[in-house]
Amino acid sequence: MKHTISVLVENHFGAFDRVATMFSGKGFNIKSISIGETEINEVSRMTIVTEGDDQIIDQVVKQLNRLIDTIKVVDLTGSNHIERELALITVGLQKGGMDEIKNICDIFRGKIVDINNKTMMLEITGPPDKIDAAVNVLSPFGIKEVARSGTVALKRGEQAKFQKKELSTN
């Protein structure tokens, strides 16, 4: 089963490396990982998507909590949260296909961010399933390249405020 895990870490040199090394050393697979600064300068948030049964995910969470840079680990999978991903997709332009690609872009609420006489690049954001669907629908046009950001996720509403308050007391 897919799990989305949010990890708050101190923004120190090597923090990402320690997390990646833990995953590879223990044989856990990472489907996607994204990291960026938070509202607190010294803290970064990693969003890790991994797969495994409850026992494996429990081990992943325990191992992440043991790393020296880790502040907090939360498995968001069972909670009310929002997941988003960004994808840049370059498709080949064939005669008469431009309007159809524009329509697909509109359906997925994407943006055309680059175009020339041979290719068109679309930017699409949303849940990972939406990105998968867009890639699938665009495939017949000849996808030249795809770059995906990896999932970012946060708990909804009041839970997020609680988390910020909790961090400021540490």
Side-chain angles (χ1 to χ4, degrees):
M1 179 179 169
K2 180 187 122 186
H3 283 260
T4 303
I5 300 171
S6 178
V7 184
L8 294 174
V9 296
E10 294 178 28
N11 194 1
H12 292 158
F13 176 80
F16 173 79
D17 186 50
R18 283 183 272 284
V19 170
T21 300
M22 185 282 294
F23 269 83
S24 66
K26 299 293 181 183
F28 302 135
N29 188 33
I30 297 174
K31 286 194 73 164
S32 86
I33 188 168
S34 64
I35 184 169
E37 295 179 351
T38 65
E39 68 282 5
I40 302 168
N41 286 341
E42 311 84 40
V43 177
S44 293
R45 180 183 307 275
M46 290 184 190
T47 305
I48 302 168
V49 178
T50 187
E51 287 183 328
D53 60 25
D54 290 344
Q55 184 180 5
I56 288 172
I57 299 304
D58 187 50
Q59 283 300 310
V60 167
V61 170
K62 285 179 181 173
Q63 292 294 325
L64 287 169
N65 273 313
R66 289 185 184 150
L67 298 176
I68 60 172
D69 302 307
T70 300
I71 298 168
K72 185 170 185 166
V73 180
V74 177
D75 183 358
L76 297 172
T77 306
S79 67
N80 193 6
H81 69 282
I82 301 290
E83 291 186 9
R84 292 292 182 265
E85 186 173 317
L86 179 141
L88 297 175
I89 305 166
T90 301
V91 294
L93 278 182
Q94 299 163 357
K95 197 170 186 171
M98 183 182 295
D99 288 338
E100 204 170 341
I101 294 171
K102 283 181 180 177
N103 288 338
I104 292 169
C105 185
D106 289 342
I107 289 168
F108 285 98
R109 297 183 184 157
K111 296 179 189 170
I112 298 169
V113 293
D114 187 46
I115 188 167
N116 61 43
N117 60 354
K118 293 183 179 174
T119 62
M120 180 184 291
M121 184 186 301
L122 309 177
E123 173 190 306
I124 298 175
T125 60
D129 291 347
K130 176 183 172 184
I131 305 297
D132 291 342
V135 168
N136 187 38
V137 170
L138 290 167
S139 289
F141 295 95
I143 292 179
K144 304 291 185 191
E145 287 185 293
V146 174
R148 295 174 74 150
S149 65
T151 300
V152 293
L154 284 175
K155 284 184 178 179
R156 284 184 178 263
E158 292 300 315
Q159 296 169 359
K161 289 179 184 174
F162 174 76
Q163 196 169 34
K164 183 176 179 181
K165 180 181 174 185
E166 187 176 288
L167 275 176
S168 64
T169 59
N170 288 338

